[in-house]
Structures are given as C-alpha cells and as structure tokens.
C-alpha cells in the first residue's frame, strides 16, 4: 500500500507508540489524524507537521464517529488505521483490598478491547467508500495487543484479557473485511520505552531490559512505528499477530 497522499488515523496519538506512529506516517507522506483524550493532548508535545490531533475517547461511539465525520468532511481518503490507545493498570485477582474491582476490569476491557473494535468498525465503514487500488485493496487496520495476551504476568489479568481479545479478533476481522479489501493485522509488543514504562524505577527498567533475550534492551517507539510502515508496504500480510519483543517470554512476575 502506498502511503504518500493517503490519510491515516492513529489512536493514542498524543503519547508513546501512537505519537511515534503518527509522526512516521506523516513523514511517509500521509495526512494523519491522531485521536486521544483531551488532557493527554494538552499535556503532550505539539503535533508534528502533517498530524492533526483530535479529541476523542476510543470507547465512545459518538466521539469516534464525530472524528471520522470530520476526516470525511476534510475530503481525506482514509486507508490506514493504527489502534494504539490503551491503558495498563495493574491489580491482582486477590489482594488486601479484596477481590479484583469489577469496574476496573470493565474499564480496561472498555478502552483496550471495545475501544479498538469501535474504531475498527467505524473506520472500516469509512474505508469502504474509498476507491480500491489495482489489487483491490482499500485499507489496512493495525491493532496493538501485547505479549501479555500470551504470557500475562501476575497483576495483569484485565490487561491480558483485553489484549487476548484483540489477538482473537485479528483473523476474524481480516476474514470479515476481506470483501471490502481491508487487511487487519495486530502487533504484540514486548517492552517499549514509552511513558507507560517510564513510570517504573530505574532498577525495574534495568531488570526489564535484562529480561529481554536479544537485543537486551527496551524497544523504541520508532521501532513499533517502523513495523506499522513495513506491514503497510507488505500487501500479503493479513490476519496475523506479529510479536515485536526481542524473543522475550514474560515470567510470571
Ligand atoms: N509500552 C509498552 O511496553 C507496551 C507493550 C505492549 C503493548 N503496549 C500497548 O501499546 C499501546 C500504546 O502504549 P504506550 O506505551 O504508547 O502508552 P502511552 O500511555 O504512552 O500512550 C497511550 C495513549 O493512549 C491514550 N488513551 C488512553 N485511553 C484512551 C481512550 N479511552 N481514548 C483515546 N485515547 C486513550 C492515552 O491518553 C495515551 O496518550 C497500548 O495499547 C499498550 O497497551 C505497550
């Protein structure tokens, strides 16, 4: 898929993987619309050239549709979506605070899984209206899971359930959207050096880096963005989950 001259939507674009992906897509010549929550946009860095940041909660039907209407009214041809918005609170099933808060579990599933599906379904509907290229392709949707979908650690029950849901949707969505010429891929990152991880102490970060098989370091957000661009370029990749983890297999804690 050619990115130059097309439009892309990136969620979670005010920070971390989403910000790096939005910037990389803009450098590749796409007009990029980045979605994020208002406070995150206000607190984050200024949008790079070619990136328009819009306020929307990915879990809100109305707000995501509103953003897509705005993109359509701009005359943009949406061909790529990178779903990067996500949250990762940690809680054990049983702790001194009692059993895992059900509302917290619901919130994580609401943002990570339902938010991803909400953007996927509305964006697919917008992509359907775009002319196909010579191979019949209209668009690509790249979701972000986590290796916690496969090896969730203690305290990651809600997070790993939400990310496993994204993994499970991948082949089904690819099959479902094939008739519209839309590919669906998922990236499952290991440990990436973003604000989500920056909150850990230096010792914890060093221990995390040491746990990676090779290269023995955290991944950089730009490496995630590069993978999104590689997937966009490779039209035969579809319905698959790609681990980007330096062969890390998480231990139980
Ligand atoms: N950093 C890692 O090591 C790592 C590893 C595996 C998976 N991931 C996944 O990658 C994605 C990006 O993570 P990151 O490390 O860049 O985190 P981050 O916290 O830097 O960025 C996440 C962004 O998502 C936004 N967001 C949260 N809830 C939202 C909502 N309801 N609507 C719109 N935007 C919302 C946040 O405001 C933030 O800007 C997440 O889905 C995360 O689970 C990250």
């Amino acid at each position: 898929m050619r990115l130059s001259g097309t439009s892309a939507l990136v969620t979670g674009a005010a920070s971390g993987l989403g910000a790096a992906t939005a910037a990389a897509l803009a450098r590749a010549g796409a007009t990029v619309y980045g979605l994020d929550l208002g406070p995150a946009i206000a607190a984050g860095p200024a949008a790079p050239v070619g990136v328009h940041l819009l306020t929307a909660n990915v879990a809100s039907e109305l707000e995501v549709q509103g953003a897509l209407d705005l993109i359509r009214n701009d005359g943009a041809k949406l061909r790529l979506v990178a779903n990067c918005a996500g949250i990762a609170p940690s809680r054990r099933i049983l702790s001194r605070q009692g059993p895992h808060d059900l509302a917290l579990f619901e919130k994580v599933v609401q943002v990570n899984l339902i938010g991803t599906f909400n953007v996927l379904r509305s964006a697919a509907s917008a992509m359907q209206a775009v002319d196909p290229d010579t191979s019949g392709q209209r668009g690509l949707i790249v979701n972000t899971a986590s290796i916690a979908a496969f090896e969730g650690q203690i305290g990651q029950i809600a997070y790993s359930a939400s990310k496993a849901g994204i993994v499970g949707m991948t082949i089904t969505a690819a099959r479902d959207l094939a008739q519209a010429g839309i590919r669906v891929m998922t990236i499952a990152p290991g440990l990436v050096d973003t604000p989500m991880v920056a909150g850990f102490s230096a010792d914890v970060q060093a221990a995390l880096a040491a746990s990676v098989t090779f290269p023995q370091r955290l991944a950089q957000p730009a490496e995630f963005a590069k993978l999104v661009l590689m997937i966009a370029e490779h039209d035969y990749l579809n319905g698959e989950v790609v681990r980007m983890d330096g062969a890390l297999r998480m231990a139980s804690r």
Side-chain angles (χ1 to χ4, degrees):
M1 172 189 289
R2 282 190 46 221
L3 292 170
S4 180
T6 64
S7 297
L9 175 68
V10 179
T11 72
S15 176
L17 304 186
T21 303
L25 287 167
R27 281 196 301 275
T31 301
V32 181
Y33 297 86
L35 300 193
D36 211 306
L37 300 173
I41 292 175
V49 176
V51 178
H52 311 279
L53 289 177
L54 307 172
T55 301
N57 177 349
V58 291
S60 159
E61 204 169 345
L62 270 181
E63 290 180 25
V64 168
Q65 193 51 55
L68 284 161
D69 289 347
L70 193 146
I71 294 169
R72 192 193 55 231
N73 292 340
D74 261 3
K77 289 192 189 313
L78 184 65
R79 289 200 187 273
L80 191 146
V81 172
N83 268 311
C84 298
I87 54 173
S90 164
R91 187 74 54 88
R92 286 179 154 221
I93 301 170
L94 299 177
S95 70
R96 278 192 212 98
Q97 296 152 276
H100 195 297
D101 188 10
L102 194 55
L104 178 65
F105 190 95
E106 285 172 353
K107 163 110 186 168
V108 176
V109 171
Q110 190 73 27
V111 174
N112 293 357
L113 178 57
I114 297 179
T116 296
F117 179 67
N118 186 32
V119 174
L120 179 147
R121 77 189 179 100
S122 301
S125 175
M127 280 177 185
Q128 207 177 14
V130 172
D131 295 336
D133 66 15
T134 49
S135 65
Q137 182 171 209
R138 287 195 170 80
L140 164 68
I141 298 172
V142 181
N143 300 320
T144 309
S146 163
I147 60 170
F150 308 105
E151 301 113 35
Q153 295 191 292
I154 288 171
Q156 289 191 307
I157 190 73
Y159 185 70
S160 57
S162 69
K163 295 299 188 177
I166 294 173
V167 167
M169 285 200 302
T170 308
I171 183 64
T172 317
R175 288 172 166 172
D176 208 329
L177 295 175
Q179 61 171 19
I182 299 169
R183 292 189 286 134
V184 181
M185 288 288 292
T186 293
I187 300 174
L191 298 166
V192 194
D193 189 7
T194 70
M196 204 175 248
V197 171
F200 302 149
S201 69
D203 284 358
V204 170
Q205 288 195 39
L208 287 174
S211 70
V212 183
T213 306
F214 185 80
Q216 219 165 55
R217 60 170 175 81
L218 303 186
Q220 288 304 310
E223 294 177 296
F224 175 91
K226 187 175 175 183
L227 185 50
V228 173
L229 267 70
M230 286 167 64
I231 291 170
E233 269 175 27
H234 202 309
D235 291 343
Y236 209 71
L237 287 175
N238 193 12
E240 185 55 289
V241 180
V242 180
R243 293 180 67 127
M244 190 198 80
D245 62 5
L248 170 63
R249 299 295 178 270
M250 287 283 203
S252 62
R253 69 178 78 220

